[in-house]
Structures are given as C-alpha cells and as structure tokens.
Amino acid sequence: MMQLSDTTDSTTLGYWLNWRVYLCVFSVLLCMVLASFTIWKRESSRNLTFDKRENQQDRDLCGDEAWKPCLKSIHPACLLAFRVVSFASLLASLIAKLHVTRGVTFYYYTQWTFTLVTIYFGCGSMLSVYGCYMYRKSTETTFNEDVTRIDEEQGPYLPLLYQDATNVSRTEPLANTNINIQKNQHAPIWSYIFHILFQISAGAVMLTDCVYWLIIFPFLTLRDYDLNFMTVNMHTVNFVLLFGDAALNCLRIPWSGMSFFVLWTGVYVIVQWIIHACVSIWWPYPFLDLSSPYAPLWYLLLALMHIPCYGFFMLVLEMKHYFLSKWFPSSYQC
C-alpha cells in the first residue's frame, strides 16, 4: 500500500482557494457534464428508435448479447463456466485484500475498479445461467418444431392417440415462444445494465493498469512503494480475465460508452476531494494533489488518458469481430 508523506494541510481554506484548484475543478466538472449530456443524447436517440426496430447498432437491447458467445460452436455453458471461475477468483482476491487492509483498500481507484470488475463477473454469471436456460428452451422448441413437421407429413396415417399428442406438440412451440417473448422483455434491461458495467470496466481496467505500470511502478515503487504478490495480482488479473471474457462474449462498446467511464473516474476524484476537505490525509496518488504547481497539467493528462485506454479496448474488440466474421462466417453470431 502506497502512503506518501503529505506536508500540506488540505483542510485549510488556503489549500482550496487558488487558481490551480479552480482550474482542476472546472475541468473535471466540465468532463462530467459533457459525459452526462452524451449519455442523455444517446438514450433519447435510443428511445426514439426502439419502437421502430430500425437501429441495428443498438444490439444491447436484444437481451441475449450478455450471455451469447461470439461463435455458435461455443456453448453458452462455456462462457458461464469462465465467468463463474473468474468471479470466484476476483472475489477471493478482494476478500483477502480487505482482510489485510481492513477496508483501507477502497481508498484507491484500483480497488474501485477491481470491485467493479468483480460485480461485472457476478452479474455476468447470473445472466449466463439465464442464457443457458433460454438456450435449452430454444433447443427444445426447435426439436418440437421438427417433430411437428414430421407429424404433419404423416398425419393421415397416424393413430388418433398419437394425433392428439401431435396437436399438443404443435401448440408447445407457440407457447414456448410466447413465454420467451415475455421473459425477453425483461432481459434487455439487465443486458443494458450489464453492458454499462462492461463499458466502464473496459476503460477503468486499462486506465488502472496503465497508470500503475507506466507511472507508479517505474517512478514511485523504488522510493516508497512495497511491491508484493497481492499488488501485482490486483493490477493484472482483472485485465486478463476481462479480456478473456471479451474474447468469448458478443458485446461491443461504442465511443459514446466512454461517457460512463468518464463519470466513473469523475466520481472517484470528487470523493477524494471531499475526503481531503474534511480530513488531512495523504493522497492515494500524488498526481491528484492539488497543492502541486503541476496539478492542472496532471489532471489534463489523466483526462486525456481516458481516450487511448478506452479506444485500445474498443479497437481490440473490433478486430476480434472482424477476424471472427472472416474466419468463421457460418459460426459468427455477433
């Protein structure tokens, strides 16, 4: 755990009443306002096109992308197994970290992101269980339809008793379809929430690991940071597991989804400001210290890092979809 010595008292008015703080606060709030406006515009556009069913890009409203693998040859149970194992691993690491630090771990953006990814895999596991159930029901429906078609071809030569069973089998596909439609009316809501978690996690994981391995580890570790297995685990396993899930699932992330990521980081920064305004305590990351003359530059650099971090993850996903559609055209289903 990194605890840098803090010589400036952040609870005094002199700490907050200066141009550096004003500029940093303005930049963070401006980013959050723009992100909120982007989300509002996106949702307004989605509501207008939802009833028409003409916007093919709003695939997260279909309800099955949250649990459907990217290839038909991959059974949904494989994605379920991966998510359950990932959730168990992340949860075990998080509990161990909480036990060691006694809750202080949530002072860091890393643990916010790690907890978010844990929640993501927990929700994904539940949605995959639902998806396996729906996949099984659809398989049974397809089988019943095949039996019905055979019965219709052989109908005049079948006994009356079997003909009654045939009539039942003819109505089962319709009944199952109605059940599926009713259930799928609720599925898009959870799929949409899950998609938001995916978009936030995609950027937050990249930002967390990039800041740690490119800034904190090279420049701060040698002086006052104790590198251990748990620290390395917190900054690697979330990245590996999230990319593994992205390789299997059907989800995409649009550029507008970066707005959720920006809001996530903005909320963390504001929470840090509130804490330091009330308590004189060390900053979890030295570049967040508003007393530094380079604070506006650090905040600007941190804001700009959101673009390549989110964009890299988005690029990897688009490359995955492109190559899978070329290599497995008959099995690709994203």
Side-chain angles (χ1 to χ4, degrees):
M1 182 181 302
M2 178 174 58
Q3 297 186 13
L4 301 179
S5 59
D6 228 354
T7 57
T8 306
D9 187 2
S10 60
T11 60
T12 62
L13 288 178
Y15 183 90
W16 299 96
L17 299 180
N18 59 78
W19 67 270
R20 295 187 304 271
V21 175
Y22 297 152
L23 188 58
C24 292
V25 170
F26 174 78
S27 61
V28 170
L29 294 181
L30 178 62
C31 292
M32 296 183 69
V33 169
L34 293 177
S36 301
F37 179 75
T38 301
I39 294 174
W40 176 76
K41 292 290 292 183
R42 177 186 175 185
E43 295 309 308
S44 299
S45 176
R46 186 193 305 277
N47 292 334
L48 290 175
T49 58
F50 180 72
D51 293 333
K52 298 179 181 180
R53 305 288 183 176
E54 294 177 355
N55 192 347
Q56 297 299 325
Q57 295 180 351
D58 291 335
R59 296 182 56 83
D60 52 305
L61 291 174
C62 297
D64 59 352
E65 281 77 7
W67 57 263
K68 188 174 64 176
C70 55
L71 297 177
K72 296 179 183 178
S73 56
I74 302 177
H75 196 280
C78 297
L79 184 57
L80 169 62
F82 179 83
R83 286 175 172 174
V84 170
V85 173
S86 300
F87 174 69
S89 302
L90 293 171
L91 185 60
S93 299
L94 186 61
I95 293 175
K97 189 69 173 181
L98 289 174
H99 176 72
V100 173
T101 62
R102 297 181 180 180
V104 182
T105 183
F106 283 105
Y107 191 51
Y108 295 92
Y109 185 83
T110 298
Q111 273 62 51
W112 279 44
T113 300
F114 199 89
T115 303
L116 175 69
V117 177
T118 304
I119 295 174
Y120 167 82
F121 277 104
C123 294
S125 299
M126 292 187 292
L127 285 171
S128 289
V129 170
Y130 169 80
C132 289
Y133 169 77
M134 296 301 296
Y135 179 83
R136 180 180 177 182
K137 295 293 290 184
S138 64
T139 303
E140 293 176 353
T141 300
T142 303
F143 175 77
N144 290 334
E145 289 175 350
D146 293 338
V147 172
T148 301
R149 184 172 59 254
I150 295 175
D151 292 346
E152 289 176 349
E153 294 175 355
Q154 301 177 355
Y157 304 98
L158 297 178
L160 181 59
L161 179 62
Y162 187 77
Q163 187 174 359
D164 293 337
T166 301
N167 292 333
V168 174
S169 66
R170 290 174 182 174
T171 60
E172 285 181 354
L174 181 59
N176 289 333
T177 302
N178 292 334
I179 294 176
N180 292 343
I181 292 175
Q182 293 176 357
K183 291 184 177 181
N184 281 333
Q185 289 176 351
H186 302 282
I189 300 176
W190 294 105
S191 178
Y192 177 66
I193 296 174
F194 182 73
H195 194 202
I196 292 177
L197 293 176
F198 183 63
Q199 293 171 92
I200 301 175
S201 300
V205 166
M206 291 298 303
L207 180 63
T208 299
D209 294 351
C210 286
V211 168
Y212 177 79
W213 292 111
L214 298 180
I215 299 177
I216 295 178
F217 178 75
F219 300 105
L220 300 177
T221 299
L222 297 180
R223 294 193 295 111
D224 37 35
Y225 199 68
D226 182 22
L227 185 66
N228 52 54
F229 170 78
M230 186 62 68
T231 301
V232 175
N233 178 62
M234 284 283 176
H235 294 88
T236 53
V237 67
N238 54 358
F239 174 85
V240 174
L241 295 179
L242 188 63
F243 263 88
D245 188 81
L248 292 173
N249 65 38
C250 280
L251 296 175
R252 296 175 181 266
I253 55 174
W255 271 115
S256 59
M258 190 175 67
S259 301
F260 296 104
F261 172 36
V262 171
L263 289 178
W264 172 261
T265 306
V267 169
Y268 173 80
V269 173
I270 292 177
V271 169
Q272 287 298 321
W273 289 346
I274 295 175
I275 293 176
H276 284 82
C278 300
V279 182
S280 181
I281 191 175
W282 43 271
W283 288 87
Y285 304 101
F287 45 81
L288 294 181
D289 188 359
L290 296 170
S291 64
S292 171
Y294 302 102
L297 183 60
W298 277 115
Y299 274 76
L300 176 62
L301 179 61
L302 187 63
L304 294 177
M305 284 187 65
H306 283 65
I307 300 176
C309 288
Y310 187 87
F312 176 78
F313 200 101
M314 181 179 176
L315 177 62
V316 171
L317 284 184
E318 292 301 319
M319 291 177 61
K320 181 202 79 169
H321 289 293
Y322 174 79
F323 285 113
L324 288 182
S325 63
K326 295 295 183 181
W327 296 342
F328 308 98
S330 60
S331 182
Y332 177 75
Q333 57 177 357
C334 295

